[in-house]
Coordinates of all heavy atoms in Angstrom, one line a residue:
M1 N -13.2 11.5 8.2 CA -13.3 11.5 6.8 C -13.0 12.8 6.1 O -12.4 13.0 5.1 CB -14.6 10.9 6.4 CG -14.8 10.7 4.9 SD -13.7 9.5 4.2 CE -13.6 10.0 2.5
T2 N -13.6 13.9 6.8 CA -13.4 15.2 6.3 C -12.0 15.6 6.1 O -11.5 16.2 5.1 CB -14.2 16.2 7.1 OG1 -15.6 15.9 7.2 CG2 -14.1 17.6 6.6
E3 N -11.2 15.3 7.2 CA -9.8 15.7 7.2 C -9.0 15.0 6.1 O -8.1 15.5 5.5 CB -9.2 15.3 8.6 CG -7.7 15.8 8.7 CD -7.2 15.4 10.1 OE1 -7.9 14.9 10.9 OE2 -5.9 15.7 10.3
D4 N -9.4 13.7 5.8 CA -8.7 12.9 4.8 C -9.2 13.0 3.4 O -8.7 12.4 2.5 CB -8.6 11.5 5.2 CG -7.6 11.2 6.3 OD1 -6.6 11.9 6.3 OD2 -7.8 10.3 7.1
A5 N -10.3 13.8 3.2 CA -10.9 13.8 1.8 C -9.9 14.4 0.8 O -9.2 15.4 1.1 CB -12.1 14.7 1.9
S6 N -9.8 13.7 -0.3 CA -8.9 14.2 -1.4 C -7.5 14.1 -1.1 O -6.6 14.8 -1.6 CB -9.3 15.6 -1.9 OG -10.6 15.6 -2.3
R7 N -7.1 13.1 -0.2 CA -5.7 12.8 0.1 C -5.4 11.4 -0.2 O -6.3 10.5 -0.2 CB -5.4 13.1 1.6 CG -5.7 14.4 2.1 CD -5.3 14.5 3.6 NE -3.8 14.4 3.8 CZ -3.0 15.4 3.9 NH1 -3.5 16.7 3.9 NH2 -1.7 15.2 4.0
F8 N -4.1 11.1 -0.4 CA -3.7 9.7 -0.5 C -3.9 9.1 0.9 O -3.3 9.7 1.9 CB -2.3 9.6 -1.0 CG -2.1 9.7 -2.5 CD1 -1.6 10.9 -3.0 CD2 -2.4 8.7 -3.3 CE1 -1.4 11.1 -4.3 CE2 -2.2 8.8 -4.7 CZ -1.7 10.0 -5.2
V9 N -4.6 8.0 1.0 CA -4.8 7.4 2.4 C -4.4 5.9 2.4 O -4.4 5.4 3.5 CB -6.3 7.5 2.8 CG1 -6.7 9.0 3.0 CG2 -7.2 6.9 1.8
W10 N -4.0 5.3 1.3 CA -3.6 3.9 1.3 C -2.8 3.6 0.1 O -2.9 4.3 -0.9 CB -4.9 3.0 1.4 CG -4.6 1.6 1.6 CD1 -4.9 0.5 0.8 CD2 -4.1 1.0 2.8 NE1 -4.5 -0.7 1.4 CE2 -4.0 -0.4 2.6 CE3 -3.6 1.6 4.0 CZ2 -3.5 -1.3 3.6 CZ3 -3.1 0.7 5.0 CH2 -3.1 -0.7 4.8
Y11 N -2.0 2.6 0.2 CA -1.1 2.2 -0.9 C -1.1 0.7 -1.0 O -1.2 0.0 0.0 CB 0.3 2.7 -0.6 CG 0.3 4.2 -0.3 CD1 0.1 4.5 1.1 CD2 0.5 5.2 -1.2 CE1 0.1 5.9 1.4 CE2 0.4 6.5 -0.9 CZ 0.2 6.9 0.4 OH 0.2 8.2 0.8
E12 N -1.0 0.2 -2.2 CA -1.2 -1.3 -2.4 C -0.2 -1.8 -3.5 O -0.1 -1.2 -4.6 CB -2.6 -1.6 -2.8 CG -3.1 -3.0 -2.7 CD -4.6 -3.0 -2.9 OE1 -5.1 -3.0 -4.1 OE2 -5.3 -3.0 -1.9
L13 N 0.4 -2.9 -3.2 CA 1.3 -3.6 -4.1 C 0.6 -4.8 -4.7 O 0.2 -5.7 -3.9 CB 2.6 -4.0 -3.4 CG 3.6 -4.8 -4.3 CD1 4.0 -4.1 -5.5 CD2 4.8 -5.2 -3.4
M14 N 0.4 -4.9 -6.0 CA -0.1 -6.1 -6.7 C 1.1 -6.7 -7.4 O 1.8 -6.0 -8.2 CB -1.2 -5.7 -7.6 CG -2.4 -5.3 -7.0 SD -3.8 -4.8 -8.1 CE -3.2 -3.2 -8.6
T15 N 1.4 -7.9 -7.0 CA 2.7 -8.5 -7.5 C 2.5 -10.0 -7.8 O 1.5 -10.6 -7.5 CB 3.8 -8.3 -6.4 OG1 5.0 -8.7 -6.9 CG2 3.5 -9.1 -5.1
T16 N 3.6 -10.6 -8.4 CA 3.6 -12.0 -8.8 C 4.1 -12.9 -7.7 O 4.0 -14.1 -7.9 CB 4.4 -12.1 -10.1 OG1 5.7 -11.6 -9.9 CG2 3.7 -11.5 -11.2
S17 N 4.6 -12.4 -6.6 CA 5.1 -13.2 -5.5 C 5.0 -12.5 -4.2 O 5.8 -11.7 -3.9 CB 6.6 -13.7 -5.7 OG 7.0 -14.4 -4.6
T18 N 3.9 -12.7 -3.5 CA 3.6 -12.0 -2.3 C 4.6 -12.4 -1.2 O 5.0 -11.6 -0.4 CB 2.2 -12.2 -1.8 OG1 1.9 -13.6 -1.7 CG2 1.2 -11.5 -2.7
D19 N 5.0 -13.7 -1.2 CA 6.0 -14.1 -0.2 C 7.3 -13.4 -0.4 O 7.9 -12.9 0.6 CB 6.3 -15.6 -0.3 CG 5.1 -16.4 0.2 OD1 4.3 -15.9 1.0 OD2 5.0 -17.6 -0.2
A20 N 7.8 -13.3 -1.6 CA 9.1 -12.6 -1.9 C 8.9 -11.1 -1.5 O 9.9 -10.5 -1.0 CB 9.5 -12.7 -3.3
A21 N 7.8 -10.5 -1.8 CA 7.6 -9.1 -1.5 C 7.6 -8.8 0.0 O 8.1 -7.8 0.4 CB 6.3 -8.6 -2.2
R22 N 7.0 -9.7 0.7 CA 7.0 -9.5 2.2 C 8.4 -9.5 2.7 O 8.8 -8.7 3.6 CB 6.2 -10.7 2.8 CG 4.7 -10.5 2.9 CD 4.1 -11.5 3.9 NE 4.2 -12.9 3.4 CZ 3.2 -13.5 2.7 NH1 2.1 -12.9 2.4 NH2 3.4 -14.7 2.3
Q23 N 9.2 -10.4 2.2 CA 10.6 -10.4 2.7 C 11.4 -9.2 2.2 O 12.1 -8.6 3.0 CB 11.3 -11.7 2.2 CG 10.7 -13.0 2.7 CD 11.3 -14.2 2.1 OE1 12.4 -14.2 1.6 NE2 10.6 -15.4 2.2
F24 N 11.2 -8.8 1.0 CA 12.0 -7.7 0.4 C 11.6 -6.4 1.1 O 12.5 -5.7 1.7 CB 11.7 -7.5 -1.1 CG 12.4 -6.4 -1.7 CD1 13.8 -6.5 -2.0 CD2 11.7 -5.2 -2.0 CE1 14.4 -5.4 -2.6 CE2 12.4 -4.1 -2.6 CZ 13.7 -4.2 -2.9
Y25 N 10.4 -6.0 1.2 CA 10.0 -4.7 1.8 C 10.1 -4.8 3.4 O 10.4 -3.8 4.0 CB 8.6 -4.3 1.4 CG 8.5 -3.9 0.0 CD1 8.1 -4.8 -1.0 CD2 8.9 -2.7 -0.4 CE1 8.0 -4.4 -2.4 CE2 8.9 -2.3 -1.8 CZ 8.4 -3.2 -2.7 OH 8.4 -2.8 -4.1

């Protein structure tokens, strides 16, 4: 936790079609 403090550690897509997003990305 100390090493990762104040860093970007995760990313999240909120979308209207998760099935389409899975295929696209």
Side-chain angles (χ1 to χ4, degrees):
M1 182 67 204
T2 301
E3 184 181 355
D4 279 334
S6 299
R7 300 183 69 96
F8 282 103
V9 294
W10 191 244
Y11 310 86
E12 194 168 81
L13 173 61
M14 291 180 282
T15 187
T16 51
S17 176
T18 54
D19 288 340
R22 276 195 293 266
Q23 295 177 21
F24 178 78
Y25 289 100

